[in-house]
Amino acid sequence: MKWNKVLALALSGVLSVGLLSACSGGTTSQPSTAPSAAQEDTDPAAESSASGTEASFTTIEDGKLIMSTNAQFPPYEMVADGEGVEGTGFEGIDIEIALALADKLGLELVIDDMEFDSALLAVQNNAADMMLAGLSYSEERDQVVDFSDPYATGVQVVIVKEGSDVTLDNLGDYMIGTQRGTTGYLYASDTPENGGYGEDHVIGYDNGATAVQELINGTIDAVIIDQQPAEEYVAANADAGLTILPGNWVEEDYCLAVDEGNTALLDALNAALNELIADGTVQSIVDKYITAE
């Protein structure tokens, strides 16, 4: 693609999936797992058993790992109809990966659901230990947070109405909708000199669902969003005559993020994450939510 971004280090067999997410305005903490017996007997801000080595790190609240997210980004994070995974009230790939990470570190996961921009700020403002929200790496974000090793590959695509004249090549001639704060918004609204289409051609919405609805209403001509959410939205609006343009608009890495300079916590999370990748846990979680065609 025209974007000079880091291409994903794809997991073996991992499927392409997306990045954006919007969230409800509420910020309700929901404990999702009980701390292990080993955790109750140790200083929760000190010892980590990830990778079988001891590593000192601190979390905002003793014994807890607070995750900020935006739970409107299926299949990565969604508000559940019922109790959700392990009683969290949420479900999705990132939710289950976060639970597995907390378990590795002997901590209790707490999930804070909020708008995408707010989720990133929560990490920077010491209100959350980490962000998992279909978050893709970008150089701009890397200035304010530290990224983990990648755990999946993200592919962004373009949704249009069937019969539309919009193509990947002439996209900049039309009105585009994206979710605010996402890399889709950042890239598309950038200047043409930097490969974007300019702010005059892009409208940012609170979430992907609103952008898709505005496409249906005719307010905009296209929506840029990650592939898996795009497929979910097209399927959910079958009567609206939506389709996904052939080809990938951009590819990028999915990572979790911690506050810039929080090296100890990042090292512990990376060690746990790489164990979960190596033993097949991450791939099994992805396979649970995404079925290969």
Side-chain angles (χ1 to χ4, degrees), residues 31-190:
S32 57
T33 59
S36 64
Q39 173 63 23
E40 292 173 354
D41 294 335
T42 61
D43 178 357
E47 303 298 331
S48 167
S49 60
S51 299
T53 60
E54 292 186 352
S56 296
F57 64 89
T58 59
T59 55
I60 294 168
E61 294 186 32
D62 286 353
K64 296 181 179 180
L65 183 64
I66 301 175
M67 164 189 168
S68 60
T69 193
N70 175 247
Q72 294 190 34
F73 188 55
Y76 276 78
E77 36 270 316
M78 304 159 280
V79 177
D81 289 337
E83 293 184 356
V85 181
E86 296 190 22
T88 60
F90 302 95
E91 57 187 352
I93 294 169
D94 283 344
I95 303 301
E96 297 207 25
I97 288 176
L99 284 164
L101 288 171
D103 185 61
K104 279 278 187 185
L105 300 181
L107 299 171
E108 174 190 4
L109 182 67
V110 176
I111 301 172
D112 279 358
D113 179 20
M114 60 191 74
E115 291 187 0
F116 188 87
D117 283 351
S118 299
L120 197 62
L121 286 172
V123 170
Q124 299 172 59
N125 295 334
N126 212 31
D129 297 300
M130 65 177 185
M131 176 182 180
L132 273 87
L135 179 68
S136 59
Y137 175 88
S138 75
E139 293 179 1
E140 182 174 343
R141 288 174 177 161
D142 201 20
Q143 303 302 309
V144 294
V145 296
D146 286 341
F147 286 91
S148 72
D149 295 335
Y151 60 87
T153 303
V155 172
Q156 292 190 50
V157 296
V158 178
I159 306 174
V160 298
K161 288 185 177 180
E162 292 179 355
S164 170
D165 293 330
V166 178
T167 68
L168 291 181
D169 292 331
N170 68 12
L171 186 57
D173 296 333
Y174 293 89
M175 208 64 201
I176 304 161
T178 66
Q179 181 181 355
R180 277 191 297 269
T182 63
T183 52
Y185 178 82
L186 295 174
Y187 301 163
S189 62
D190 207 345

